[in-house]
Amino acid sequence: MRNLASLLFAGGLAFLLMAVAAQLPFGHPPVLAGGEILAQAPQQVGAANIVTAVVLGYRGLDTLGEISILFAAATGIGLVLGRRRANAPRDPDAGTILRTGAALMFPLLLLVGFHIILHGHLTPGGGFQGGVILAAAFFLPLLARPGTPVNHPGLSLIEGVSGAIFILIGLIALFQGGEFLQPLLGTGTFGSLLSAGTLPILYLALGLKVGAELAGLLSRLADAEAN
Amino acid sequence: MIWLVSVIVILMLGSALAVLLLKNPIGAVAAASVVSLALSVLFVILRAPDVAMTEAAVGGGLGSLILALSLRRLGLWHVEGEDRKRLTRKETRDA
Amino acid sequence: MMAHNLPFVLYAGAIGLLVIGIAGIVLSQNLFRIILALAIAEAGANLLLVLAGYHWGGTAPILDQGKALATMVDPVPQALVLTAIVIGVGIQALALGLAIQAYRAYGTLEMRQLRDRLEQDIALDAGMAPSGSRQAPAGERPIPPVPAVQRRGSHTL
């Protein structure tokens, strides 16, 4: 009976939302901020990827909030899971395919990750996508051989230094008379790697921070004891 | 174009239902990653390549990896047709 | 004909995902399924956000050398969804860590058993008699006098 009431509620909610969505102007959105950003972004910011200009230039403070939420989640999972007992049984090594594959793919994944991070302002990509690929690059050898020692203090150091660089660039922008996290260093030539001011540096710091954080999270999750 | 979008949306909704209705937890995790994959294809069709890349990498890749890692730690990794008490190291070599 | 039906299909997909996720959270008995349903609801919400910025015949908001800016889709919802996807996965990871801790403490993931044992633990810690379950709303009869300080049960932590 409770299931039937819940299903009726879900059906009613779907009908209500569809009735609301039928009134929305699909395909002709009332772009207010978006139109202005599209018109002014190439001259002001100089990035070819306008979503990157929005994420790091116009809404950089939201990105800082997202970094702190991710940091809180990674720290929380590290605190909740705790340490492994010294004599707990460990999973055996993976087969030959995964071991050799992990050794082969590690440099390729690093290359792809850094390419996506560094070209974030020119092509679709950026710090988050590249950071996830870097974390996967560091996690793959851990999947192949469970029990390889992970340098947790080193990962924390990379994460802390990258986050500090991000905030430091924002503070430098603040003290030079502008707002917090305003892009500095001019726009440069359009379409080259060194364009769009401090945006590549910000994305590099962001990508390293996200990569180190997620690598630490995955290694802690893999390290927790299997019951 | 509408046929392509319809097929992808039906696949996505079917996998979302399968996440809730499948008994095997491993199947539920696989269906969740199918939902992420279909969603990233929809994002490409909707002219949002950045979002599609993020959804494929973070939602499909990392999210499914975290879910699969935690399956083992939650005691939900049942091998079909095997006695649950004998989940020894010999079995984990095959998994 | 085509232009009339495409919004319906897309909105049906997004709202369908959202409602399936919400129904899954309400109806599931296993903690793991609730976390999976939460992930699906978040995916539906993100799709709804990106749909809000779509422009007919628009292109992706990436500039080439001389691309016309008139028909680009809105970049602001895409930036919002970029943030939302990463935050969603962070929340799922933390929720799974808490579920692992609950499994270690109680040995089960079924919601009814978890709820009952949590209420018993809370009542024992507060020094009161445990409240009645659904089968016995008034509690067990007769209710024995419970001392103010009581040892915890035999479950390990």
Side-chain angles (χ1 to χ4, degrees):
Chain A
M1 204 52 215
R2 177 169 164 264
N3 287 356
L4 186 60
S6 302
L7 283 176
L8 279 178
F9 160 72
L13 184 65
F15 175 69
L16 179 67
L17 286 176
M18 285 298 285
V20 168
Q23 316 281 335
L24 294 176
F26 179 78
H28 301 282
V31 278
L32 301 170
E36 296 296 323
I37 289 178
L38 280 178
Q40 297 181 6
Q43 292 86 20
Q44 271 189 342
V45 179
N49 189 0
I50 300 190
V51 178
T52 298
V54 175
V55 163
L56 280 184
Y58 292 101
R59 300 304 313 167
L61 204 56
D62 295 346
T63 307
L64 189 60
E66 171 185 5
I67 296 175
S68 28
I69 290 183
L70 207 55
F71 169 71
T75 311
I77 205 176
L79 282 174
V80 159
L81 285 181
R83 281 191 188 280
R84 184 187 193 97
R85 287 189 308 231
N87 54 352
R90 213 174 261 285
D91 288 339
D93 281 359
T96 314
I97 296 182
L98 187 53
R99 270 187 283 136
T100 42
L104 279 177
M105 293 209 15
F106 178 71
L108 293 178
L109 281 175
L110 273 186
L111 196 63
V112 169
F114 273 115
H115 173 89
I116 289 185
I117 292 178
L118 286 175
H119 285 77
H121 57 289
L122 299 173
T123 54
F128 295 109
Q129 297 91 325
V132 166
I133 296 182
L134 284 182
F138 278 103
F139 185 62
L140 208 53
L142 192 60
L143 266 186
R145 288 185 187 79
T148 50
V150 174
N151 191 7
H152 278 291
L155 285 177
S156 302
L157 185 68
I158 293 179
E159 176 187 345
V161 166
S162 312
I165 288 179
F166 191 90
I167 298 183
L168 200 63
I169 293 179
L171 283 177
I172 290 178
L174 179 66
F175 286 138
Q176 280 201 350
E179 294 97 16
F180 185 62
L181 279 179
Q182 187 183 23
L184 306 169
L185 299 182
T187 56
T189 57
F190 191 81
S192 71
L193 191 60
L194 289 178
S195 58
T198 47
L199 254 55
I201 310 177
L202 280 175
Y203 248 166
L204 186 62
L206 191 66
L208 282 176
K209 176 173 172 62
V210 167
E213 209 162 49
L214 290 175
L217 188 151
L218 284 175
S219 65
R220 281 232 187 271
L221 196 50
D223 214 18
E225 296 171 20
N227 297 339
Chain B
M1 157 125 146
I2 187 175
W3 299 114
L4 177 67
V5 171
S6 305
V7 164
I8 295 178
V9 163
I10 290 179
L11 177 69
M12 198 168 65
L13 290 178
S15 305
L17 276 177
V19 167
L20 298 180
L21 296 177
L22 278 177
K23 293 249 179 329
N24 199 0
I26 306 175
V29 169
S33 66
V34 170
V35 168
S36 281
L37 204 59
L39 193 61
S40 77
V41 173
L42 265 185
F43 281 147
V44 170
I45 294 180
L46 285 174
R47 311 284 193 262
D50 249 328
V51 181
M53 200 188 273
T54 307
E55 173 66 38
V58 171
L62 202 75
S64 300
L65 183 60
I66 291 179
L67 283 170
L69 273 179
S70 65
L71 269 182
R72 186 102 170 86
R73 275 92 194 138
L74 287 174
L76 289 172
W77 187 279
H78 302 315
V79 180
E80 291 288 329
E82 196 89 10
D83 194 12
R84 201 172 299 178
K85 291 188 183 49
R86 285 186 28 226
L87 198 70
T88 57
R89 287 175 65 102
K90 178 181 182 309
E91 202 167 53
T92 61
R93 198 169 299 140
D94 303 329
Chain C
M1 168 81 171
M2 261 190 218
H4 180 70
N5 275 334
L6 188 62
F8 172 73
V9 171
L10 286 169
Y11 275 129
I15 292 174
L17 272 186
L18 194 60
V19 167
I20 287 177
I22 292 180
I25 293 177
V26 168
L27 289 174
S28 293
Q29 288 111 16
N30 201 353
L31 193 56
F32 189 65
R33 298 249 173 204
I34 293 183
I35 297 177
L36 282 178
L38 185 69
I40 291 179
E42 279 174 4
N46 291 335
L47 182 58
L48 208 55
L49 266 179
V50 170
L51 280 180
Y54 184 64
H55 203 278
W56 282 122
T59 57
I62 315 261
L63 288 174
D64 213 350
Q65 288 307 321
K67 181 86 63 85
L69 287 178
T71 56
M72 282 200 182
V73 298
D74 202 358
V76 176
Q78 296 185 16
L80 296 177
V81 170
L82 213 69
T83 304
I85 292 178
V86 176
I87 291 180
V89 127
I91 290 183
Q92 283 166 44
L94 191 55
L96 282 171
L98 291 175
I100 291 179
Q101 200 62 14
Y103 181 72
R104 279 186 194 159
Y106 292 112
T108 175
L109 280 179
E110 304 291 321
M111 287 307 291
R112 292 212 181 99
Q113 299 177 16
L114 269 183
R115 223 173 267 148
D116 289 341
R117 293 176 70 169
L118 265 177
E119 284 184 1
Q120 282 181 2
D121 279 348
I122 293 175
L124 280 177
D125 275 338
M128 305 183 304
S131 54
S133 62
R134 187 179 300 182
Q135 284 78 25
E140 304 294 329
R141 285 176 171 272
I143 301 180
V146 177
V149 173
Q150 189 166 11
R151 269 183 60 101
R152 197 172 292 203
S154 62
H155 72 271
T156 61
L157 214 142

